[in-house]
Amino acid sequence: MTERVLVPFDGSPLSQRALERALRKHSADEISVLYVIDPMLAIYEAEAKGLPAASTWYDRMVEGAEKICATATTQAADHECDITTATEIGRPARTILEYAAEHDIDHVLMGSHGRTGVSRLVLGSVAERVMRQAPMPVTIVR
């Protein structure tokens, strides 16, 4: 029976490792790659660089998402695998969980950024939240 595997993907080395694992271990399954545009990034950017035009910020984020999804597609092609890519807007952990529920995902396979100490407390951990709240198995790649 074919499994539906979700790989949240942000282009980071750990997300690339997670996709690599999915492509090796689940090559016969349906693999979906999800990039989440976090609207909080607009607030961080406004604090650092001043308030950008909303449409400019959104256009840049969508363009970046397309490039990141293209990277995932290329990585899958190197393994002779087909994947589905999607881009959603929202808080990452919540959006990953909602996408998984809406698309009947059987397994989430994702990278961890490996934050520790204060940065983990302040920034939180998307992987940890997904792992704790997901009703399906979650594999965290480090």
Side-chain angles (χ1 to χ4, degrees), residues 9 11 16 22 35 39-40 48 50 72 77 80 85 89 92 97 102 108 123 137:
F9 191 81
Q16 290 179 356
Y35 179 80
M40 292 300 292
E80 298 177 358
T85 61
I89 298 172
L97 292 165
E102 291 169 7
V108 177
L123 299 173

Side-chain angles (χ1 to χ4, degrees), residues 64-87:
E66 289 170 354
K67 288 179 183 175
I68 289 170
C69 288
T71 299
T73 301
T74 300
Q75 190 173 346
D78 291 344
H79 287 268
E80 298 177 358
C81 290
D82 290 325
I83 62 170
T84 302
T85 61
T87 300

Side-chain angles (χ1 to χ4, degrees), residues 20-100:
E20 185 74 25
R21 181 176 175 89
L23 294 168
R24 280 195 331 268
K25 302 280 185 178
H26 298 278
S27 61
D29 294 327
E30 292 177 31
I31 300 173
S32 296
V33 170
L34 175 65
Y35 179 80
V36 179
I37 297 173
D38 186 352
M40 292 300 292
L41 293 175
I43 295 169
Y44 299 142
E45 188 173 306
E47 287 290 323
K49 300 177 183 175
L51 193 58
S55 62
T56 303
W57 180 85
Y58 178 77
D59 291 343
R60 278 196 337 249
M61 291 295 107
V62 169
E63 185 178 314
E66 289 170 354
K67 288 179 183 175
I68 289 170
C69 288
T71 299
T73 301
T74 300
Q75 190 173 346
D78 291 344
H79 287 268
E80 298 177 358
C81 290
D82 290 325
I83 62 170
T84 302
T85 61
T87 300
E88 298 285 337
I89 298 172
R91 299 294 293 155
R94 180 180 302 151
T95 304
I96 291 165
L97 292 165
E98 289 171 355
Y99 185 93

